Amino acid sequence: MNPSELRTALGALEIFAALTEDQLDWLVSVSEPRALADGEVLFRDGEEATGFHVLLSGGLVVTKVVDGREEVLTRHSTEEEGAAAEDHDGKPAAAHRFTGELPLLTEGTYVATAAASGPVTVVVAYPRPVFFEMLTRCHGVAAVLLPVLAWRIKSSEIQARKRATVEALGTLAAGLAHELNNPAAAVARAAQELAPALDRLTRTAQSWGAAATGAERAVLDRIADELDKLPPPVTTDPLAQADAEEAIGDWAEEAGVERPGLLGAGLSDLGLELGWLLERLEGIGEPALPAALDHLAALLEVRALAAELRAAGPRISHLVSATRDYANLDRAPEQRFAVTDGLENTLVVLRSKLPGISIVRAYDPDLPELTGYPSELNQVWTNLVDNAAEAMEGSGVLTLRARAEGGCMVVEVCDTGRGIPESSLPRIFEPFYTTKDVGKGTGLGLHLSYRIVTQRHRGSIAARSRPGETRMVVRLPLAPAAHPPAAPDEP
């Protein structure tokens, strides 16, 4: 393309339409035309931003790898530009014809990958120094650039918020499935074993009733009553428990018990030993002893199954309640709520991501309630806890603090992970800025959290970090804002 053709092509673009003849001459002199083959990469996600790119012909596909999946963010094409100022989704028509301005203005890296689409794609590159000189020399460029820039930031935030919602639902589903597995399996196992256990209890009760005298029945009744009143067993040495189970089982087998292992397991699970049993069996004669022990074993089995069901039921109810509260289903968006409920529900949802991490809770007593949007704050807690877990790489201490201070609720999420580099701290709330590896972050999680805290709740969020200690501090006013702004993803 010769200078005359390039001058004509550039002058026909909306972004350069207001340039004077002298400005166009200068623009042509600093232009770097480049022809791209189909699929050829113009720039890659994570690379240092080096230039502003204007599309003259063909098309560009902008993609980003998120959690191992490549997503198409947008397409630029000379065929898509129409006469209207905006297309159906509010995208300025001029946005189809240039890219790369955002990372240049934020002095960052490219936040996506752009590749040619079609047999012939021609772009014109303007290096960073030239781009900034262009903004100074050609004021008309900024008039077109700024609305496009605003639209791109807004659309990126909306996409990130939608992606965060989908990810939150995925995390919620995975966490719920993980946490429900144990109590659900316990219910299924207990239900399957309960019928034969009841049959054994009925049969041993008949044998015991036929073999025992009234005095002997009273002895076994006292043992059963004492077992009912036993406190929950403390955590014991597994080897000691196994030894107790074996000792009781061996003795019961010598006594002629039909299922000695069942008796040994039932008593040792309660933290009891053979000596405890022998002391309480005085008064039962040798002829009735096997029937007494068989009935006691069956009774212990049924009670253990019932205890599993009693423990599993509330656990399932708690998980369902935590899930409902985390998502705030069937509730008005703005409400009175306890901030610690959101923190606890977030821990339940993210439990599968916290193995090996110790949780420390430091909640002041009698914390006041807040008025706000708990489902949106749950996104904040999820971002902060998830980032903390990733920084600790499966081992460390996560500390959650909540206190009332002046007219604010102060929430701190602290971790003992690798820390945030000092050079990155001032920028972590900027849109598209991320310290994660390419493909592992959008650079919008903390920015959206910042928007939710500062604009939606009129609070503040700050970070303090050094290797081995990172503290995210959120301050939320206790008094609600008179006119809270629209949610971050609303126009």
Side-chain angles (χ1 to χ4, degrees):
M1 181 177 292
N2 60 48
S4 177
E5 293 173 334
L6 180 58
R7 190 179 192 281
T8 301
L10 292 175
L13 299 178
E14 181 181 348
I15 189 170
F16 301 133
L19 268 58
T20 65
E21 296 295 325
D22 290 341
Q23 289 171 336
L24 268 176
D25 290 339
W26 172 83
L27 188 66
V28 170
S29 69
V30 296
S31 296
E32 299 179 3
R34 179 181 174 187
L36 302 174
D38 187 25
E40 186 176 350
V41 174
L42 178 62
F43 54 77
R44 295 186 183 277
D45 188 6
E47 291 180 346
E48 181 183 358
T50 58
F52 174 62
H53 305 279
V54 176
L55 179 64
L56 292 186
S57 65
L60 293 171
V61 178
V62 181
T63 61
K64 186 174 182 66
V65 176
V66 180
D67 295 332
R69 301 186 308 273
E70 186 177 55
E71 298 181 6
V72 176
L73 301 183
T74 187
R75 298 178 186 271
H76 301 297
S77 174
T78 55
E79 298 178 359
E80 293 183 29
E81 188 175 19
E86 296 182 348
D87 63 16
H88 67 280
D89 64 352
K91 181 178 181 180
H96 292 295
R97 302 302 292 267
F98 57 83
T99 186
E101 76 287 348
L102 184 57
L104 287 178
L105 291 170
T106 58
E107 298 184 356
T109 59
Y110 291 116
V111 296
T113 297
S117 174
V120 179
T121 296
V122 178
V123 299
V124 181
Y126 298 96
R128 181 193 296 268
V130 174
F131 172 67
F132 285 103
E133 186 176 354
M134 179 194 303
L135 296 179
T136 303
R137 279 176 172 260
C138 313
H139 297 160
V141 171
V144 177
L145 186 69
L146 289 178
V148 173
L149 185 63
W151 174 84
R152 282 184 176 154
I153 292 175
K154 178 182 176 183
S155 62
S156 295
E157 289 186 353
I158 292 174
Q159 287 179 357
R161 191 171 179 84
K162 290 178 179 177
R163 187 183 298 116
T165 300
V166 172
E167 290 176 354
L169 290 174
T171 299
L172 186 63
L176 186 61
H178 181 271
E179 291 300 310
L180 282 175
N181 183 59
N182 288 338
V187 169
R189 181 177 63 252
Q192 183 177 8
E193 296 178 1
L194 194 55
L198 287 172
D199 288 342
R200 283 191 290 272
L201 181 63
T202 301
R203 178 165 47 81
T204 58
Q206 292 171 345
S207 299
W208 168 240
T213 65
E216 289 173 327
R217 284 194 289 272
V219 172
L220 198 60
D221 289 344
R222 284 196 298 271
I223 295 176
D225 289 341
E226 187 172 351
L227 290 174
D228 280 341
K229 297 174 183 177
L230 283 176
V234 296
T235 302
T236 58
D237 181 355
L239 293 178
Q241 183 175 340
D243 290 342
E245 180 179 347
E246 183 178 1
I248 295 171
D250 290 345
W251 175 83
E253 185 175 12
E254 292 179 2
V257 174
E258 181 181 348
R259 295 170 63 88
L262 186 63
L263 180 66
L267 289 174
S268 63
D269 284 347
L270 296 174
L272 303 176
E273 298 179 350
L274 178 59
W276 181 94
L277 178 62
L278 294 177
E279 289 178 4
R280 285 154 180 80
L281 287 175
E282 293 182 8
I284 297 180
E286 189 172 337
L289 184 60
L293 296 176
D294 280 331
H295 184 54
L296 181 60
L299 185 63
L300 287 169
E301 181 183 23
V302 170
R303 290 185 177 183
L305 293 173
E308 284 190 43
L309 291 172
R310 284 197 302 271
R315 178 63 182 152
I316 292 173
S317 297
H318 170 70
L319 289 169
V320 172
S321 176
T323 302
R324 183 194 64 239
D325 292 342
Y326 177 84
N328 280 277
L329 300 176
D330 302 324
R331 296 190 181 187
E334 185 177 17
Q335 57 192 267
R336 295 283 293 174
F337 62 96
V339 72
T340 52
D341 289 347
L343 294 170
E344 289 300 311
N345 292 332
T346 299
L347 291 178
V348 171
V349 170
L350 294 181
R351 192 186 303 272
S352 61
K353 293 189 174 184
L354 301 171
I357 294 176
S358 301
I359 309 296
V360 176
R361 298 167 174 83
Y363 305 149
D364 281 1
D366 303 322
L367 287 172
E369 289 188 331
L370 290 174
T371 297
Y373 304 87
S375 61
E376 295 177 17
L377 285 175
N378 285 344
Q379 293 183 32
V380 176
W381 313 141
T382 299
N383 277 330
L384 299 186
V385 172
D386 193 38
N387 286 348
E390 183 176 332
M392 289 186 283
E393 299 178 332
S395 177
V397 179
L398 173 68
T399 303
L400 302 180
R401 296 189 178 95
R403 65 182 183 274
E405 189 176 274
C408 291
M409 176 74 69
V410 181
V411 177
E412 296 184 3
V413 178
C414 310
D415 69 73
T416 56
R418 57 182 177 267
I420 302 170
E422 186 176 355
S423 60
S424 298
L425 269 177
R427 302 190 60 192
I428 60 173
F429 299 113
E430 292 180 9
F432 309 109
Y433 185 81
T434 178
T435 59
K436 298 180 181 178
D437 294 337
V438 174
K440 293 187 177 180
T442 63
L444 285 168
L446 285 178
H447 175 66
L448 290 174
S449 297
Y450 179 86
R451 292 279 301 273
I452 290 170
V453 171
T454 62
Q455 296 189 20
R456 191 68 160 161
H457 291 85
R458 304 292 176 89
S460 67
I461 180 170
R464 305 168 190 167
S465 185
R466 62 184 181 184
E469 181 184 8
T470 296
R471 180 177 301 182
M472 306 298 294
V473 183
V474 177
R475 294 178 179 272
L476 301 166
L478 294 173
H483 300 287
D489 60 344
E490 294 175 0

